[in-house]
Each structure stands twice: as C-alpha cells, then as structure tokens.
Amino acid sequence: MLSFVLSKLAWGVLNPGNALVLTLALGALMLRRPRWRRFGERLIALVALAFLAVTFTPVGAFVALPLENRFPYAEPLGPEPVDGIIMLGGAVNPPLTADRGDPSLNDAAERVLAFADLVRRFPAARAVFTGGSGRLLGQDTKEDASIRAALLQAGIPEDRVLYETESRNTWENAVFSLDLAAPKPGERWLLVTSAMHMPRSVGIFRRVGWAVVPYPVDYRTRHDARPYARFELDRNLPILGDAVREWIGLVSYWLMDRTDALFPAP
C-alpha cells in the first residue's frame, strides 16, 4: 500500500506537465522577492523554452520511440494456437462512465478494440481483463464496469470474459490475474496493452513466471523515427508524459525486483 501511495504522490510532481507548471509558479513567487528575482526570471524563461520545445519539436516522440519499438507488432500471429488473451486496464475513464452512464474510453481505446477483435477471432481462447482502480482516491470506482459495457457494445457477451477487479498497478495486474487465470505450462497467452507500456508489462509478467506473447497496440510514434512535430502542445505533452512515466516505472520496478530486466526485450 505504501509503495502505491508514494508512487502516485511522486508522479504528481514528476509528471512533465505538472513539473513545468510547479516550476513556473515557483519562478513567479520568486519575482516577489528582490534577492530571488533574477533566479525567478531564469526559471520562468526555462519553463517557456521547455514548453516551446515540447510544442514545436518531436522530443516527446523521441523519448517514447525506444519503448514502442522494443516489441514488434504481433501480426500475423502464426499457426500456433492461442490459449488465452489478457488485456491490461488503463483504457477507460470509470468516473465519467459512472457519471454519464455510458462507457468512456481514453487515448488507449485501441486496447479494447484489439481485445474484442482477438476474442472474436479465437473463440476457444480464455479471455481475461485485469484492472481495478489506479487512482489514489476513488478506489470504489472500478474499471470493469466501463469495460463490460464497452465490450458489450462491441458484441462480446459479459460471460465471455473473466474480470480481475482488485489490481491497482501493473504488478498487481500480473499477480492477481495469474491467480485468476491459472495458466498451464506451455499455454500461449497474448498480452494486450499499449506499445509504450509493453516493455515494463512483459518484464513484470516474466518476473511472476508467466511467459506471455506481446500484442502491442495504441502506438503514438512513427516506427522509422523520422522527426514528426505536430505543433500542438495538448497532443505532444501527453506523449512525453506517458513516456517519462514508463522510463521511471522501468527503473523503479527493476530496483524493487518486480521485473526480470531493466529494459525487457524480445
């Protein structure tokens, strides 16, 4: 519980967008003190340059690219049978779903689409969704309600999927769904999650003894690494934030011995 709380508090400060705003506020406060005024001006200038860099350069894409290219796109899957399919949570907005009564998906909606497609393509495979609530506050609002409704709209009956609803992070996704699914040795399970999140996810599943087949979706970068700047802060900053979070997560989980490698590879 302590590590979960600390991780949420730390990310609230380390998130690039939050860090820039906090630094800007600090600089503005320093302007009120004559002895700190020059340092405050430099902080504000630094934040302005950082916002310009994120807006007009592909810095976010370059930080994310090694993560998304680590595990190649999974299609075609080959002739081997698929025994199970597991999707990690993080693709829905549970509070908005509860408020509006309609399943609300976020930028990682491709996870739901790919999962529904795989469930239809492999009718004999077991299907598992794992995800409770990753929020520090509001643990009573779980992701499964949104996922059940979204999959039902996609034509997947509720009883077709096993739901794990207590996990709060990727480590618990792996541990709790391992207990729920009880995969047998030699079974072939596909792991569906965002490409940027796949290295950490695979390392965690390997660490708990579950050799999954990566099925990355929800790409945010071009595979050839060509500079691609959209000149849109509201789209570039989330990419940078997600990438920074994954790099921090890789290091943190490696230090806690929750992944089999610092940067898991195929």
Side-chain angles (χ1 to χ4, degrees):
M1 179 64 180
L2 180 59
S3 63
F4 172 74
V5 173
L6 291 177
S7 69
K8 294 301 178 182
L9 294 177
W11 179 241
V13 176
L14 297 176
N15 182 310
N18 293 353
L20 288 173
V21 170
L22 291 173
T23 304
L24 181 63
L26 179 60
L29 288 174
M30 287 181 172
L31 294 180
R32 300 175 61 87
R33 298 280 184 171
R35 61 183 297 186
W36 294 103
R37 184 177 184 85
R38 178 169 295 182
F39 190 62
E41 291 174 345
R42 291 175 178 174
L43 279 182
I44 292 174
L46 181 64
V47 170
L49 289 174
F51 274 120
L52 287 172
V54 174
T55 302
F56 295 105
T57 73
V59 59
F62 280 132
V63 176
L65 189 68
L67 294 163
E68 295 205 327
N69 280 358
R70 194 62 165 174
F71 289 89
Y73 185 57
E75 293 287 5
L77 290 172
E80 298 88 352
V82 173
D83 299 293
I85 309 156
I86 181 168
M87 176 179 63
L88 302 188
V92 294
N93 188 327
L96 192 55
T97 297
D99 182 71
R100 292 292 187 175
D102 187 62
S104 174
L105 307 183
N106 58 31
D107 289 345
E110 291 89 339
R111 299 188 195 184
V112 181
L113 297 176
F115 184 69
D117 176 60
L118 290 169
V119 169
R120 282 192 295 265
R121 286 167 56 189
F122 301 100
R126 300 165 63 197
V128 175
F129 166 78
T130 172
S133 173
R135 297 171 180 271
L136 186 58
L137 301 176
Q139 282 291 312
D140 55 330
T141 306
K142 307 291 187 179
E143 290 194 24
D144 68 300
S146 303
I147 293 294
R148 291 172 194 265
L151 289 178
L152 190 61
Q153 290 182 353
I156 306 299
E158 186 171 329
D159 59 0
R160 177 68 178 85
V161 180
L162 291 175
Y163 290 90
E164 183 284 305
T165 62
E166 298 304 318
S167 56
R168 300 168 299 176
N169 52 38
T170 312
W171 171 257
E172 292 183 355
N173 285 157
V175 173
F176 296 168
S177 57
L178 179 65
D179 291 338
L180 176 66
K184 299 177 182 178
E187 286 188 340
R188 188 177 185 227
W189 281 75
L190 305 181
L191 176 64
V192 180
T193 190
S194 301
M196 203 182 304
H197 186 48
M198 189 61 77
R200 182 157 58 108
S201 301
V202 169
I204 292 169
F205 273 76
R206 288 174 178 170
R207 183 67 182 83
V208 301
W210 195 346
V212 292
V213 177
Y215 194 92
V217 296
D218 180 31
Y219 286 91
R220 311 287 181 87
T221 64
R222 299 169 65 121
H223 76 282
D224 52 14
R226 285 186 295 172
Y228 178 53
R230 287 183 289 207
F231 310 138
E232 296 173 310
L233 177 65
D234 61 327
R235 299 188 68 177
N236 293 337
L237 189 57
I239 294 175
L240 177 62
D242 288 345
V244 169
R245 179 176 58 190
E246 286 305 321
W247 285 115
I248 292 175
L250 280 167
V251 174
S252 301
Y253 275 51
W254 181 68
L255 291 175
M256 291 187 292
D257 194 28
R258 289 185 170 183
T259 180
D260 73 325
L262 179 58
F263 192 25

